[in-house]
Amino acid sequence: MDATYDHDMEKLQLLKCTLVLRQLDDIPDATLHARILDQGEAAMTLARQTAFPILVFPCLFEERAVAVLWENRQRMDRYWNPAGEITSPFRAISALRD
């Protein structure tokens, strides 16, 4: 492997750490942290298979993090309001961050 590839992978790793830590800071529910970390790794694995992993990773990670938050919100809604209304993913994210 060449030096440019290694440097790009270091930049990708730094980007992953930065975005994952920011996401974890925004989520007060520590039970979701492991799932967010897993999604960061999964997004990085997928991004590395593309021609532009540094550009692709943020989008992949955001999609996966939103999915985790949405699933958690749905589970909470079913628990607390079994006959309840359907919540949009955007309300789920804002509710978790409040």
Side-chain angles (χ1 to χ4, degrees):
M1 307 230 173
D2 63 357
T4 303
Y5 177 81
D6 291 339
H7 180 68
D8 288 347
M9 288 303 107
E10 287 176 11
K11 287 169 52 176
L12 180 60
Q13 183 66 32
L14 180 60
L15 177 63
K16 181 192 85 159
C17 291
T18 301
L19 294 180
V20 169
L21 287 174
R22 279 187 195 160
Q23 185 69 46
L24 293 177
D25 283 344
D26 288 342
I27 300 173
D29 185 355
T31 61
L32 296 177
H33 287 190
R35 293 180 62 203
I36 295 295
L37 289 168
D38 289 343
Q39 295 309 316
E41 286 298 322
M44 185 166 167
T45 299
L46 290 171
R48 289 174 72 180
Q49 296 174 16
T50 70
F52 303 101
I54 293 173
L55 295 174
V56 172
F57 174 78
C59 295
L60 286 173
F61 176 64
E62 182 179 9
E63 287 177 358
R64 291 172 160 274
V66 166
V68 167
L69 297 175
W70 172 236
E71 290 168 8
N72 184 63
R73 182 59 185 215
Q74 285 182 316
R75 190 174 66 248
M76 288 175 18
D77 284 349
R78 282 192 304 271
Y79 179 80
W80 291 107
N81 190 11
E85 64 187 59
I86 297 174
T87 307
S88 77
F90 301 106
R91 280 186 54 204
I93 294 167
S94 64
L96 285 172
R97 290 183 176 169
D98 289 343

